[in-house]
Amino acid sequence: LREAQAQWAAKAWWLDYLSFVVGRPFAPVQVELQATHDPAVLAEVVQTAAGFLDQPARPPQIVPASLTFQAGTPGFQTNVAASLEGVTAALYRPTEREAPLLVEAQAATPPDMSLLERYISGRLQTFNGLGSVFIIDLQTGEEVAINADLAISGMSMVKIAILLETFRRLDQPPDLDQTKLISETAVLSGNYSANLLLDIVAGQDNAYLGVDILTESMRRLGLVNTFIAVPYEEPARAGLYTYVTPANSRTDLSANPDPSMQTTAEELGTLLSMIYYCAQGGGPLLAVYADQLTPEECQTQLRFMERNHIGSLIEAGVPPTTLVAHKHGWIGDTHGDGGIVFTAGGDYVLVEYLYHPDWLEWGVSSPLLADFSRATYNYFNFDNPYLGNTTEAVTAGNQNAPVDMTQVEDQVR
């Protein structure tokens, strides 16, 4: 308009009068159309349109009522940046002023162990105490660690290490008396039998020497927070009733661990994974103790631990026919369980503890630890979950239909 007005002002006034008299205009002046737009505003308009149309992929999620998992769903999303070029060009065309938005398919997000971590962490927020959980996928090595480096009372759960050290000491299959002691320790959680196994570890009637050998062995395996300083129900030695470790040196959190025997969820879980891999003929145990341990001995230890049936904690969260090689333990303020769970969807290690100052109610800890176990089982058995006592119907392994991109394109034009 400015250019046209300038052309008009530059003309002689009488040329218009002459043009009127003769009834014929003089040659017109060509003025090119000029236009501009605000790119930020256009981008906002396209983004607003995309907001009405987009259906983003939905991630997998847990169903709290049944502790089962729903698969993620695919979706689609407008590529605003790529669409703007075509939309901008259409603005400056006198014809064909339609421009399609460029839509991209989004694949469904596969499930990962962060689902478990978020669920367990969320449940622990409602628990009036401390929780410590460690999970290992024995196929991939993926882990979930929630306060897993917290020093915890060893209780009967460190008997897993006593069993391992016993088999490391034995040069041949256990005889009848040794088998009885191993069974009473693994299945009946006997403290007296555990101390007698420590005598075997020591090679003499000296359980104190046995715990020293065990603690040194744990350190050799890199498990620096796992120790027994005093045998079960025995008096402490002068000057040696505990060890200072990175875990019990923490000042931010404390589960008031028993000074005479301690571990962490991470280290106990790591030890269980070592026994699992040893039973399969590999792993750190056979590397460190090549001349003292065999896969058959690790297999035997797991068979004994599978006979430990209590019907609660880890076992309460898996189908009754599922093999669980585990060792539980509880004292007044701490309850826990740790084991290897063998399932069709994959084998895994689960170690779980709850601590409450002074006294932990079984009615609080037992169902919560069972829920952690069931959620873990259902994660590994996504398509065939265990519902436990839940009566709610659950459709497992949701099959999601692929996105019809033809319909999407028609929708966004």
Side-chain angles (χ1 to χ4, degrees), residues 195-209:
N195 287 347
L196 293 178
L197 290 182
L198 288 170
D199 290 342
I200 294 176
V201 172
Q204 55 184 278
D205 186 10
N206 189 345
Y208 290 92
L209 177 58

PDB file of all heavy atoms in Angstrom, residues 195-209:
ATOM      1  N   ASN A 195      25.280 -72.380  64.747  1.00  0.00           N
ATOM      2  CA  ASN A 195      26.566 -72.284  65.432  1.00  0.00           C
ATOM      3  C   ASN A 195      27.402 -73.544  65.235  1.00  0.00           C
ATOM      4  O   ASN A 195      28.638 -73.470  65.125  1.00  0.00           O
ATOM      5  CB  ASN A 195      26.356 -72.033  66.925  1.00  0.00           C
ATOM      6  CG  ASN A 195      25.893 -70.611  67.210  1.00  0.00           C
ATOM      7  OD1 ASN A 195      25.952 -69.739  66.341  1.00  0.00           O
ATOM      8  ND2 ASN A 195      25.423 -70.377  68.430  1.00  0.00           N
ATOM      9  N   LEU A 196      26.755 -74.691  65.182  1.00  0.00           N
ATOM     10  CA  LEU A 196      27.493 -75.930  64.921  1.00  0.00           C
ATOM     11  C   LEU A 196      28.045 -75.947  63.494  1.00  0.00           C
ATOM     12  O   LEU A 196      29.134 -76.493  63.253  1.00  0.00           O
ATOM     13  CB  LEU A 196      26.593 -77.144  65.165  1.00  0.00           C
ATOM     14  CG  LEU A 196      26.175 -77.374  66.625  1.00  0.00           C
ATOM     15  CD1 LEU A 196      25.253 -78.586  66.730  1.00  0.00           C
ATOM     16  CD2 LEU A 196      27.398 -77.549  67.521  1.00  0.00           C
ATOM     17  N   LEU A 197      27.316 -75.340  62.556  1.00  0.00           N
ATOM     18  CA  LEU A 197      27.871 -75.207  61.205  1.00  0.00           C
ATOM     19  C   LEU A 197      29.077 -74.288  61.209  1.00  0.00           C
ATOM     20  O   LEU A 197      30.032 -74.494  60.443  1.00  0.00           O
ATOM     21  CB  LEU A 197      26.800 -74.681  60.248  1.00  0.00           C
ATOM     22  CG  LEU A 197      25.643 -75.628  59.899  1.00  0.00           C
ATOM     23  CD1 LEU A 197      24.696 -74.960  58.891  1.00  0.00           C
ATOM     24  CD2 LEU A 197      26.157 -76.949  59.323  1.00  0.00           C
ATOM     25  N   LEU A 198      29.061 -73.263  62.052  1.00  0.00           N
ATOM     26  CA  LEU A 198      30.231 -72.383  62.169  1.00  0.00           C
ATOM     27  C   LEU A 198      31.440 -73.152  62.704  1.00  0.00           C
ATOM     28  O   LEU A 198      32.589 -72.840  62.358  1.00  0.00           O
ATOM     29  CB  LEU A 198      29.906 -71.191  63.063  1.00  0.00           C
ATOM     30  CG  LEU A 198      28.958 -70.145  62.455  1.00  0.00           C
ATOM     31  CD1 LEU A 198      28.512 -69.131  63.511  1.00  0.00           C
ATOM     32  CD2 LEU A 198      29.620 -69.425  61.290  1.00  0.00           C
ATOM     33  N   ASP A 199      31.201 -74.162  63.540  1.00  0.00           N
ATOM     34  CA  ASP A 199      32.300 -75.031  63.968  1.00  0.00           C
ATOM     35  C   ASP A 199      32.888 -75.775  62.764  1.00  0.00           C
ATOM     36  O   ASP A 199      34.112 -75.934  62.657  1.00  0.00           O
ATOM     37  CB  ASP A 199      31.806 -76.044  65.004  1.00  0.00           C
ATOM     38  CG  ASP A 199      31.463 -75.398  66.343  1.00  0.00           C
ATOM     39  OD1 ASP A 199      31.921 -74.270  66.587  1.00  0.00           O
ATOM     40  OD2 ASP A 199      30.718 -76.026  67.127  1.00  0.00           O
ATOM     41  N   ILE A 200      32.010 -76.214  61.866  1.00  0.00           N
ATOM     42  CA  ILE A 200      32.491 -76.891  60.656  1.00  0.00           C
ATOM     43  C   ILE A 200      33.303 -75.923  59.809  1.00  0.00           C
ATOM     44  O   ILE A 200      34.361 -76.268  59.272  1.00  0.00           O
ATOM     45  CB  ILE A 200      31.301 -77.462  59.854  1.00  0.00           C
ATOM     46  CG1 ILE A 200      30.605 -78.575  60.643  1.00  0.00           C
ATOM     47  CG2 ILE A 200      31.759 -77.966  58.488  1.00  0.00           C
ATOM     48  CD1 ILE A 200      29.359 -79.124  59.979  1.00  0.00           C
ATOM     49  N   VAL A 201      32.819 -74.691  59.681  1.00  0.00           N
ATOM     50  CA  VAL A 201      33.552 -73.676  58.924  1.00  0.00           C
ATOM     51  C   VAL A 201      34.939 -73.462  59.530  1.00  0.00           C
ATOM     52  O   VAL A 201      35.943 -73.330  58.819  1.00  0.00           O
ATOM     53  CB  VAL A 201      32.758 -72.347  58.911  1.00  0.00           C
ATOM     54  CG1 VAL A 201      33.592 -71.227  58.297  1.00  0.00           C
ATOM     55  CG2 VAL A 201      31.447 -72.518  58.147  1.00  0.00           C
ATOM     56  N   ALA A 202      35.014 -73.457  60.858  1.00  0.00           N
ATOM     57  CA  ALA A 202      36.291 -73.230  61.538  1.00  0.00           C
ATOM     58  C   ALA A 202      37.196 -74.457  61.485  1.00  0.00           C
ATOM     59  O   ALA A 202      38.413 -74.335  61.660  1.00  0.00           O
ATOM     60  CB  ALA A 202      36.038 -72.840  62.991  1.00  0.00           C
ATOM     61  N   GLY A 203      36.612 -75.625  61.273  1.00  0.00           N
ATOM     62  CA  GLY A 203      37.412 -76.852  61.296  1.00  0.00           C
ATOM     63  C   GLY A 203      37.715 -77.306  62.699  1.00  0.00           C
ATOM     64  O   GLY A 203      38.564 -78.184  62.901  1.00  0.00           O
ATOM     65  N   GLN A 204      37.046 -76.756  63.684  1.00  0.00           N
ATOM     66  CA  GLN A 204      37.245 -77.101  65.089  1.00  0.00           C
ATOM     67  C   GLN A 204      36.046 -76.590  65.874  1.00  0.00           C
ATOM     68  O   GLN A 204      35.188 -75.884  65.345  1.00  0.00           O
ATOM     69  CB  GLN A 204      38.536 -76.485  65.638  1.00  0.00           C
ATOM     70  CG  GLN A 204      38.620 -74.975  65.457  1.00  0.00           C
ATOM     71  CD  GLN A 204      39.920 -74.387  65.917  1.00  0.00           C
ATOM     72  OE1 GLN A 204      40.086 -74.150  67.129  1.00  0.00           O
ATOM     73  NE2 GLN A 204      40.843 -74.146  65.003  1.00  0.00           N
ATOM     74  N   ASP A 205      35.990 -76.948  67.141  1.00  0.00           N
ATOM     75  CA  ASP A 205      34.881 -76.533  67.992  1.00  0.00           C
ATOM     76  C   ASP A 205      35.103 -75.084  68.418  1.00  0.00           C
ATOM     77  O   ASP A 205      35.475 -74.791  69.563  1.00  0.00           O
ATOM     78  CB  ASP A 205      34.808 -77.462  69.215  1.00  0.00           C
ATOM     79  CG  ASP A 205      33.582 -77.174  70.076  1.00  0.00           C
ATOM     80  OD1 ASP A 205      32.718 -76.398  69.614  1.00  0.00           O
ATOM     81  OD2 ASP A 205      33.505 -77.699  71.204  1.00  0.00           O
ATOM     82  N   ASN A 206      34.869 -74.159  67.481  1.00  0.00           N
ATOM     83  CA  ASN A 206      35.142 -72.745  67.746  1.00  0.00           C
ATOM     84  C   ASN A 206      34.301 -71.895  66.800  1.00  0.00           C
ATOM     85  O   ASN A 206      34.750 -71.503  65.720  1.00  0.00           O
ATOM     86  CB  ASN A 206      36.628 -72.447  67.564  1.00  0.00           C
ATOM     87  CG  ASN A 206      37.001 -71.039  68.031  1.00  0.00           C
ATOM     88  OD1 ASN A 206      36.132 -70.184  68.226  1.00  0.00           O
ATOM     89  ND2 ASN A 206      38.284 -70.790  68.210  1.00  0.00           N
ATOM     90  N   ALA A 207      33.076 -71.619  67.192  1.00  0.00           N
ATOM     91  CA  ALA A 207      32.181 -70.837  66.338  1.00  0.00           C
ATOM     92  C   ALA A 207      32.674 -69.414  66.161  1.00  0.00           C
ATOM     93  O   ALA A 207      32.381 -68.772  65.145  1.00  0.00           O
ATOM     94  CB  ALA A 207      30.771 -70.837  66.928  1.00  0.00           C
ATOM     95  N   TYR A 208      33.438 -68.904  67.134  1.00  0.00           N
ATOM     96  CA  TYR A 208      33.987 -67.550  66.992  1.00  0.00           C
ATOM     97  C   TYR A 208      34.983 -67.479  65.836  1.00  0.00           C
ATOM     98  O   TYR A 208      35.007 -66.503  65.086  1.00  0.00           O
ATOM     99  CB  TYR A 208      34.648 -67.108  68.298  1.00  0.00           C
ATOM    100  CG  TYR A 208      33.672 -66.859  69.412  1.00  0.00           C
ATOM    101  CD1 TYR A 208      33.347 -67.879  70.305  1.00  0.00           C
ATOM    102  CD2 TYR A 208      33.063 -65.623  69.563  1.00  0.00           C
ATOM    103  CE1 TYR A 208      32.434 -67.653  71.336  1.00  0.00           C
ATOM    104  CE2 TYR A 208      32.163 -65.385  70.598  1.00  0.00           C
ATOM    105  CZ  TYR A 208      31.843 -66.408  71.472  1.00  0.00           C
ATOM    106  OH  TYR A 208      30.942 -66.184  72.488  1.00  0.00           O
ATOM    107  N   LEU A 209      35.810 -68.520  65.714  1.00  0.00           N
ATOM    108  CA  LEU A 209      36.710 -68.578  64.572  1.00  0.00           C
ATOM    109  C   LEU A 209      35.903 -68.713  63.282  1.00  0.00           C
ATOM    110  O   LEU A 209      36.265 -68.134  62.251  1.00  0.00           O
ATOM    111  CB  LEU A 209      37.680 -69.748  64.722  1.00  0.00           C
ATOM    112  CG  LEU A 209      38.643 -69.985  63.557  1.00  0.00           C
ATOM    113  CD1 LEU A 209      39.497 -68.741  63.292  1.00  0.00           C
ATOM    114  CD2 LEU A 209      39.511 -71.215  63.822  1.00  0.00           C
TER     115      LEU A 209
END
